[in-house]
Amino acid sequence: MKKEPVDFLSRYFVTIFRERIRTVLDSDHPVRKLVYLCSGLLLLNGFLFVFSVKDIWRVPTADRYEKPSLLYGVNSDGNYEPIAEFYRFSRIVLTDADLPGGWDNKVIRCFESTEDNNFRSHRGLDIRGILRATMVNLIAGRVKEGASTITQQVARLKFLNTERSFLRKAREAWLAMLLEATFDKKTLMQIYLNEIPLGHGTIGAGAAARFYFRKDIKDLSWGEAALLASLTTRPKEFSPLANPITSEGKVRVVFKKLVENGILDVKTAEKEFDAFSEYYITLNRSPNDSAFSDRLNRFPYFTEYVRKNLARIIPKTQLYEGGLKIYTTLNIQHQTQAEKALAAGLKQQTLLSNQRAFTKIDAFEDAYGDIYEILAGLHDIPEFKFKISRSFRTFNRAWQEDLRDELSVLNLISGTEGLGEVVDWSYKTQATEDHLLPVEGALISLRPETGYITAMVGGSGFRSDNQQIRAFQAYRQPGSAFKPLVYASAMEYYHENPDPKKNVTAASLFDDSPLQYVLEDGDEWNPTNYSGEYSGFIRLRQALELSRNSVAVRLLEHTGLNNLLPNLERLLQVENRNLPRDFSIALGSFEVSPYELARAYAVFASGGKRVFPLSVLYVEDDKGNLLKDFRKDNEKKERKQLVSPEVSYVITSMMEDVIKKGTGTGARSYGLTRPAAGKTGTTNNFRDAWFAGYTPELVGVVWVGYDIGTLSLGKGMSGAVVAAPIWGRFMANALSKEKSKPFAFGDPKIVRRTICSISGKLPGSHCHQTEEEVFDKETVPTEVCDDHRGLTEPAPLPQPKPTSPKKKKPNLFEGDEDVIR
């Protein structure tokens, strides 16, 4: 309840009044003293309880409204476009242009007829109406009729509460007179139409017209305008969605008043009412519908992420009511394609993974139902019950798994349109097919140069039961998608500490063979390759292409765990979490979110510089004044060189081969032709599937898995099979309108050398398999391959000596081939 404190000026007037009373009491006439005293006390009470000096400044602000804040994204033309709005209640502020016809406007006439017939003639208070309402209420013995004018209702809606008391009515009357002195009648009507609550979360006639009829207020018929006017007293009771019969009766009353006031004749009123009655026949909406569901919110996962972050900086009142303009980094083309790619991938994967929800929910009741009743009686345990009956559960399961498909086929052969619509509706409204647990996922993309987050999807669909923003909140093991960070950290360590024994290049040779470690607690750890196969000695580039786990562990062992971790921590930029100090980190045992992995990969794409992701550029108030500029804050941050441009170049080159001929070839399945680098990731038992990668223009990360971390996507459901195609589809379509360009890392000290494909050394005279490799200028190998000495190229096979042609006969079985006798 609103409470108004006594202001300083009121206290000042009380002091003056007290002095005047003292003067009167000094009079020689006792009767006059008494009359003056009683009159003064009455005036003082009225002054203190009704009048407030603050009203003089508050009343002129009555034509200011709560305005929704708009969220903007960037479209394909580079222009800002609204993508969402924040508000507590749905409101569309009406102006003169929205109410054509002046006082003859249908909506205005309907509200005048139901609320205040004398609105245009009185000065805030309708004395006749007050007297009439008083008599009606006295006769009825209860409050049956109100006497508030539209101006009084404006005063209550803008400045007071709904408390039923004489004090509130007195304040309402005082404020109404001030409003009449400040605004003209037309403005007061607009304020009323913009402030009146009309049910289901709508404030004002404009929002109600959009919610109930999906129309602008200027396009309403007489019946539709009458329905809005019928909702002023008790919107819940007279809602056409909740109580259509009661609503129709109330609309009939509004039409009667229009006839009584001479606005419509009987014939026209009957015709308009009959035409509007069709609205109730065709009405098919839930009584729980709310105008909030009509809120502009094209990309809810991104909107919710921005809302949560802004709520920490901007007061919620200002965020929901201040009419702010929030300009974000979201690219509408990228976001649209991200949602399409992930939704299609998750739907298909749900069917493939086929992890079923628990359906035998009657098992407990069958086995322990009787015992549970006894225990419940002894120990006061709540009753064991389901929200729906067993018969309904049984029918629903049978309908979805058996009956529906058969009925759908029969209906196609000889069914009716109505039955077909029921079956189609059943398919569309079912959250998961045949009790399958939904596979979830996340996708996030950002610009490597600016850190602008261009797309972000947090799951399979933003619903009341699925609002987790997994791009930021799903911490899972990245598997082999972590290896490029390990490789880069090892290369960067040599770059900072040039020890020949620690030199690591894309051509370095490592042993790809089984490993076995004994841990401190006595357990054994045997890291194995995904395929279970080993290649012997293999170059680091090939090891990344084929995602060899044993090589990643041996590389970590070669560089040293303590030497590698500082560089890894810098790349990940993780705060308040420590990386595990064991060799399993080489295989991605440290849990990260898709956002964190994208931020780390963005370092490579930007030539080794630190990237600060950004989702909101700047915020303006309702007058266009700059409220907060996040771009300036971002520009002040120092973009340190986390790895050298040379290391970024080499790692990018290696990951390009992953997509061209390694485990990431699935990323090309949707027509991605521009330069791209990336790495797949799969965790134990196929629980998580990852693909992280980038083009010169964009960094993107895809994660797919179950929310329950122990569930498997199924045998063979690796990052290469599950996540890479989603990533490739998104990248190809998101960047379809942007020109392709090559990777650019400034002017790195990179040299190209021909090496022996087998040993990784400079080729010797006996090396017959060679290829070109890229090196940091300081890491070019100097050793010449001597591994193949004594081996020569295999001599050509001897050709058979020519022989005289032999006699041939037709092949009866092959037709045109010859048979040698």
Side-chain angles (χ1 to χ4, degrees):
M1 183 185 299
K2 298 178 185 176
K3 297 203 175 182
E4 300 177 299
V6 178
D7 53 72
F8 172 77
L9 290 175
S10 295
R11 294 177 181 177
Y12 176 71
F13 288 131
V14 169
T15 303
I16 295 175
F17 187 80
R18 187 172 55 199
E19 294 296 327
R20 295 293 175 89
I21 289 293
R22 186 176 299 168
T23 303
V24 171
L25 291 176
D26 292 338
S27 173
D28 297 332
H29 302 282
V31 176
R32 186 183 299 175
K33 286 182 183 180
L34 182 61
V35 171
Y36 284 165
L37 183 60
C38 293
S39 302
L41 289 174
L42 287 173
L43 288 173
L44 178 61
N45 284 330
F47 177 83
L48 292 177
F49 286 107
V50 176
F51 173 77
S52 174
V53 177
K54 290 181 181 179
D55 295 337
I56 300 173
W57 287 274
R58 288 200 303 169
V59 166
T61 65
D63 60 346
R64 300 176 189 173
Y65 309 101
E66 296 178 6
K67 297 179 182 178
S69 295
L70 285 176
L71 204 68
Y72 291 88
V74 181
N75 59 26
S76 300
D77 298 326
N79 300 320
Y80 287 109
E81 185 178 313
I83 58 172
E85 54 187 350
F86 298 137
Y87 56 66
R88 292 188 304 116
F89 297 99
S90 177
R91 184 202 304 273
I92 298 175
V93 178
L94 302 177
T95 61
D96 290 338
D98 301 309
L99 299 167
W103 291 111
D104 292 328
N105 182 272
K106 298 172 185 176
V107 176
I108 292 177
R109 299 308 295 269
C110 286
F111 276 92
E112 269 191 307
S113 295
T114 56
E115 297 299 310
D116 189 357
N117 279 324
N118 301 318
F119 172 67
R120 301 183 208 176
S121 59
H122 64 65
R123 301 301 300 173
L125 300 178
D126 186 358
I127 304 302
R128 291 182 180 178
I130 293 173
L131 294 175
R132 183 184 63 252
T134 302
M135 294 302 297
V136 169
N137 294 336
L138 286 174
I139 294 171
R142 59 186 176 87
V143 179
K144 186 176 181 181
E145 183 175 320
S148 293
T149 64
I150 283 179
T151 312
Q152 286 178 273
Q153 292 186 53
V154 170
R156 174 175 54 80
L157 292 169
K158 295 295 293 188
F159 306 114
L160 302 174
N161 53 44
T162 57
E163 178 190 9
R164 286 179 175 269
S165 67
F166 288 108
L167 175 59
R168 199 266 293 171
K169 293 297 291 184
R171 289 279 296 136
E172 185 180 285
W174 160 250
L175 289 169
M177 289 188 289
L178 284 182
L179 285 167
E180 288 281 351
T182 306
F183 300 103
D184 58 43
K185 290 289 185 178
K186 197 170 186 181
T187 303
L188 286 172
M189 177 57 75
Q190 283 185 11
I191 297 173
Y192 175 73
L193 292 177
N194 284 324
E195 289 289 352
I196 187 71
L198 296 175
H200 295 275
T202 60
I203 298 292
R210 181 174 67 176
F211 174 75
Y212 290 109
F213 311 116
R214 301 292 187 256
K215 289 182 179 181
D216 291 333
I217 197 163
K218 60 185 176 182
D219 299 325
L220 298 185
S221 65
W222 277 108
E224 291 164 343
L227 185 140
L228 297 186
S230 72
L231 298 169
T232 54
T233 51
R234 295 187 293 277
K236 288 184 179 179
E237 181 179 342
F238 297 120
S239 165
L241 276 61
N243 301 299
I245 296 177
T246 307
S247 171
E248 189 174 14
K250 181 67 173 178
V251 171
R252 186 186 294 275
V253 172
V254 176
F255 271 102
K256 286 181 179 179
K257 290 189 176 183
L258 290 172
V259 173
E260 290 173 4
N261 295 327
I263 298 171
L264 295 177
D265 57 60
V266 175
K267 186 176 180 180
T268 303
E270 290 178 350
K271 179 181 178 181
E272 292 288 342
F273 180 79
D274 291 340
F276 178 68
S277 297
E278 295 291 327
Y279 172 76
Y280 294 100
I281 297 173
T282 59
L283 187 63
N284 184 24
R285 294 171 64 181
S286 168
N288 297 320
D289 271 3
S290 168
F292 197 76
S293 61
D294 291 337
R295 178 172 65 100
L296 175 64
N297 192 10
R298 295 170 62 182
F299 311 116
Y301 279 114
F302 185 86
T303 300
E304 180 64 9
Y305 171 70
V306 170
R307 186 197 65 80
K308 285 183 177 179
N309 287 334
L310 286 179
R312 302 170 186 169
I313 303 169
I314 299 173
K316 288 187 177 180
T317 303
Q318 189 176 17
L319 183 61
Y320 290 107
E321 305 171 9
L324 303 180
K325 295 180 180 179
I326 304 161
Y327 296 90
T328 73
T329 60
L330 180 133
N331 185 297
I332 295 175
Q333 167 78 4
H334 293 190
Q335 181 69 26
T336 302
Q337 295 303 327
E339 294 191 352
K340 286 182 179 180
L342 190 64
L346 295 183
K347 183 177 181 180
Q348 179 183 14
Q349 195 57 45
T350 296
L351 297 175
L352 290 174
S353 296
N354 199 28
Q355 289 283 4
R356 291 180 174 269
F358 183 69
T359 58
K360 297 181 180 179
I361 55 179
D362 300 323
F364 180 85
E365 187 178 8
D366 293 338
Y368 306 105
D370 296 336
I371 299 175
Y372 188 88
E373 288 183 6
I374 297 172
L375 293 174
L378 293 173
H379 301 284
D380 194 24
I381 303 174
E383 182 183 356
F384 177 76
K385 59 182 179 180
F386 294 102
K387 291 183 179 179
I388 56 177
S389 65
R390 173 179 290 204
S391 58
F392 182 81
R393 294 196 304 270
T394 304
F395 170 77
N396 199 37
R397 188 156 55 246
W399 163 255
Q400 290 183 3
E401 294 184 354
D402 302 317
L403 303 177
R404 184 174 56 184
D405 292 339
E406 296 176 3
L407 186 61
S408 178
V409 174
L410 291 173
N411 184 64
L412 288 174
I413 299 172
S414 59
T416 63
E417 183 178 352
L419 181 59
E421 290 177 354
V422 171
V423 174
D424 290 341
W425 175 83
S426 177
Y427 279 115
K428 290 177 182 178
T429 55
Q430 186 177 338
T432 56
E433 298 185 21
D434 298 339
H435 306 288
L436 293 180
L437 287 176
V439 173
E440 287 296 345
L443 190 156
I444 185 170
S445 67
L446 55 90
R447 299 286 190 186
E449 289 304 317
T450 60
Y452 292 178
I453 297 174
T454 64
M456 189 270 292
V457 187
S460 59
F462 194 86
R463 304 179 301 274
S464 59
D465 61 341
N466 190 20
Q467 297 184 6
Q468 183 182 0
I469 308 174
R470 295 171 182 81
F472 293 87
Q473 297 173 317
Y475 287 88
R476 308 297 276 266
Q477 293 182 354
S480 295
F482 199 79
K483 288 175 184 174
L485 307 183
V486 176
Y487 287 19
S489 298
M491 293 178 183
E492 186 63 20
Y493 177 76
Y494 175 78
H495 188 81
E496 297 172 348
N497 305 275
D499 180 359
K501 295 181 180 179
K502 302 295 184 182
N503 187 17
V504 175
T505 71
S508 296
L509 209 63
F510 284 89
D511 184 15
D512 178 25
S513 61
L515 289 166
Q516 185 174 15
Y517 292 92
V518 178
L519 305 180
E520 293 180 356
D521 58 1
D523 289 341
E524 292 184 357
W525 180 53
N526 303 300
T528 58
N529 290 336
Y530 166 77
S531 63
E533 300 175 352
Y534 299 88
S535 306
F537 284 97
I538 187 174
R539 287 182 294 116
L540 201 61
R541 178 180 290 273
Q542 293 173 309
L544 189 64
E545 290 174 15
L546 303 174
S547 197
R548 298 302 195 193
N549 291 339
S550 62
V551 173
V553 176
R554 282 196 165 92
L555 172 64
L556 182 59
E557 191 175 29
H558 168 80
T559 304
L561 183 60
N562 292 331
N563 297 331
L564 205 66
L565 284 179
N567 289 330
L568 268 178
E569 289 172 347
R570 281 192 323 205
L571 272 173
L572 284 170
Q573 307 167 51
V574 175
E575 299 177 357
N576 303 322
R577 288 191 292 150
N578 296 321
L579 274 66
R581 296 189 172 272
D582 58 61
F583 286 176
S584 68
I585 196 173
L587 307 183
S589 62
F590 180 66
E591 293 184 345
V592 296
S593 67
Y595 163 77
E596 290 175 340
L597 195 60
R599 183 177 58 186
Y601 269 66
V603 173
F604 299 143
S606 65
K609 293 181 181 178
R610 184 173 183 176
V611 176
F612 298 96
L614 189 66
S615 59
V616 177
L617 297 173
Y618 60 97
V619 180
E620 292 180 347
D621 62 17
D622 59 334
K623 296 180 178 63
N625 301 317
L626 188 63
L627 193 65
K628 181 72 175 176
D629 194 340
F630 296 97
R631 296 168 299 181
K632 290 184 178 179
D633 296 341
N634 224 40
E635 289 169 2
K636 292 177 183 178
K637 297 176 181 178
E638 183 183 357
R639 294 192 63 189
K640 295 181 180 179
Q641 198 77 35
L642 301 185
V643 296
S644 67
E646 291 77 16
V647 171
S648 296
Y649 188 101
V650 173
I651 287 293
T652 299
S653 171
M654 295 169 68
M655 285 196 285
E656 282 187 283
D657 280 355
V658 171
I659 292 180
K660 290 176 183 176
K661 51 185 177 180
T663 58
T665 53
R668 297 282 185 187
S669 57
Y670 282 90
L672 181 65
T673 57
R674 63 183 65 223
K679 184 68 185 75
T680 56
T682 311
T683 57
N684 289 344
N685 197 30
F686 305 99
R687 293 171 182 169
D688 304 282
W690 293 79
F691 193 92
Y694 50 91
T695 66
E697 305 83 9
L698 198 63
V699 180
V701 170
V702 173
W703 166 78
V704 177
Y706 284 103
D707 282 338
I708 303 172
T710 56
L711 291 180
S712 171
L713 291 171
K715 186 175 181 180
M717 296 294 104
S718 63
V721 174
V722 178
I726 297 174
W727 184 91
R729 176 180 178 178
F730 163 67
M731 282 292 188
N733 295 330
L735 299 173
S736 60
K737 297 182 180 180
E738 300 181 28
K739 291 183 179 180
S740 176
K741 59 183 181 180
F743 283 109
F745 301 101
D747 189 20
K749 299 175 182 178
I750 293 294
V751 295
R752 297 178 179 274
R753 291 288 185 271
T754 301
I755 61 168
C756 174
S757 300
I758 299 174
S759 67
K761 302 174 185 177
L762 296 178
S765 58
H766 300 283
C767 296
H768 303 294
Q769 298 181 33
T770 61
E771 60 183 86
E772 191 177 66
E773 185 58 89
V774 294
F775 298 93
D776 179 349
K777 190 176 181 180
E778 306 298 328
T779 64
V780 177
T782 56
E783 188 178 358
V784 177
C785 179
D786 195 34
D787 297 350
H788 314 300
R789 181 175 295 278
L791 297 178
T792 59
E793 273 191 278
L797 293 174
Q799 297 296 325
K801 294 181 179 181
T803 56
S804 57
K806 297 186 179 181
K807 199 171 181 180
K808 302 177 183 179
K809 69 176 182 180
N811 187 346
L812 301 178
F813 301 98
E814 299 295 333
D816 57 355
E817 292 187 359
D818 296 333
V819 176
I820 300 176
R821 286 188 297 179

